């Protein structure tokens, strides 16, 4: 039998979640169970345990109207989580009325701008590569990343330029990378 893989499964959405958990393990189906909040992640860790086939991913979806305390719990759990699942902003028409609240959760306010910070604790970027990361097709001098396209940061920079935003990147090689999108307050009203 072929082992199936599911990388975005909400076990907590099912009433019979305990039976489904058991069945996934019996079928040997590799599954990453994502969560929408650190509270749900914490509860899943309490009820279940990671197995060879099931792993739990910490999540934080601001459209769920989480509190600042919830975000604090997310940040606290972040370093210890093996998988990060559903995290993000949703500016679709359905959630357009919560755009400002969503941005506030993931941002800090300056005098003239709002800064949206995206940070990982991955492999980082070499200092010598930082000046080139926004170039089209640049994949770094470390060729262990053979599937890199060099398009992600290039497109991010292009989109920011088109929207009148600034984007900045800092990194510690072998530790972390931080990307900051700087939104001038003069552009902030366009988010409504």
């Amino acid at each position: 039998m072929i082992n199936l893989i599911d990388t975005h499964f909400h076990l907590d959405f099912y009433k019979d979640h305990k039976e489904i958990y058991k069945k996934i393990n019996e079928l040997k189906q590799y599954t990453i169970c994502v969560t929408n909040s650190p509270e749900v992640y914490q509860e899943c860790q309490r009820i279940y345990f990671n197995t060879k086939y099931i792993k739990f991913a910490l999540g934080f979806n601001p459209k769920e109207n989480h509190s600042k305390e919830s975000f604090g719990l997310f940040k606290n759990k972040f370093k210890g989580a093996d998988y990060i699942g559903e995290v993000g902003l949703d500016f679709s028409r359905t959630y357009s009325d919560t755009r400002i609240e969503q941005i506030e959760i993931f941002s800090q306010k300056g005098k003239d701008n709002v800064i949206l910070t995206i940070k990982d604790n991955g492999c980082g970027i070499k200092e010598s590569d930082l000046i080139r990361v926004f170039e089209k097709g640049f994949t770094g001098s470390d060729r262990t990343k053979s599937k890199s396209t060099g398009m992600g940061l290039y497109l991010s920079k292009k989109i920011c330029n088109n929207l009148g935003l600034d984007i900045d990147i800092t990194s510690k090689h072998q530790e972390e990378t931080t990307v900051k999108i700087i939104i001038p307050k003069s552009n902030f009203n366009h988010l409504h």
Side-chain angles (χ1 to χ4, degrees), residues 11 21 32-33 41 44 48-50 54-58 83:
L11 181 64
Y21 174 84
I32 296 177
C33 297
Y41 174 76
C44 287
Y48 302 108
F49 54 92
N50 286 329
I54 298 178
K55 308 294 182 195
F56 289 91
L58 174 64
Y83 296 90

Side-chain angles (χ1 to χ4, degrees), residues 5 11 13 16 20 31 42 51-52 60 65 79 81 88 91 97-98 104 108 111 122 131 133 141 152 154 159 164 185:
I5 298 173
L11 181 64
F13 284 6
D16 57 344
I20 292 172
T31 306
Q42 192 169 264
T51 69
K52 179 179 179 180
F60 187 89
N65 295 320
K79 281 273 189 201
F91 292 170
D97 60 329
T98 65
E104 285 177 353
Q108 60 191 103
K111 181 180 176 190
I131 59 170
V133 295
S141 60
Y154 164 75
I159 291 167
K185 286 194 176 171

Side-chain angles (χ1 to χ4, degrees), residues 117-120 168-172 176-180:
T117 303
I118 302 111
K119 185 175 183 176
D120 72 22
D168 182 55
I169 187 166
T170 58
S171 187
K172 293 179 186 170
E176 65 186 29
T177 300
T178 303
V179 176
K180 292 185 177 186

Side-chain angles (χ1 to χ4, degrees), residues 121-140:
N121 57 351
C123 62
I125 301 168
K126 290 181 180 179
E127 188 174 343
S128 58
D129 288 348
L130 276 176
I131 59 170
R132 297 192 58 206
V133 295
F134 295 115
E135 291 177 16
K136 184 177 183 178
F138 182 70
T139 59

Side-chain angles (χ1 to χ4, degrees), residues 24-117:
I24 290 170
N25 279 299
E26 287 172 5
L27 293 172
K28 299 179 180 177
Q29 180 178 346
Y30 295 100
T31 306
I32 296 177
C33 297
V34 297
T35 60
N36 283 338
S37 74
E39 292 84 2
V40 171
Y41 174 76
Q42 192 169 264
E43 185 66 8
C44 287
Q45 285 183 313
R46 188 185 68 74
I47 296 173
Y48 302 108
F49 54 92
N50 286 329
T51 69
K52 179 179 179 180
Y53 301 103
I54 298 178
K55 308 294 182 195
F56 289 91
L58 174 64
F60 187 89
N61 194 328
K63 69 183 182 188
E64 301 294 328
N65 295 320
H66 298 297
S67 64
K68 291 285 186 181
E69 291 79 22
S70 184
F71 187 59
L73 180 59
F74 172 78
K75 290 193 322 190
N76 187 34
K77 295 276 184 190
F78 186 82
K79 281 273 189 201
D82 292 325
Y83 296 90
I84 304 298
E86 196 159 296
V87 178
L89 304 174
D90 187 341
F91 292 170
S92 66
R93 288 184 185 154
T94 306
Y95 299 103
S96 63
D97 60 329
T98 65
R99 287 179 182 177
I100 302 303
E101 291 84 359
Q102 291 182 58
I103 290 171
E104 285 177 353
I105 289 171
F106 286 106
S107 66
Q108 60 191 103
K109 292 179 183 173
K111 181 180 176 190
D112 299 320
N113 56 39
V114 173
I115 302 170
L116 180 63
T117 303

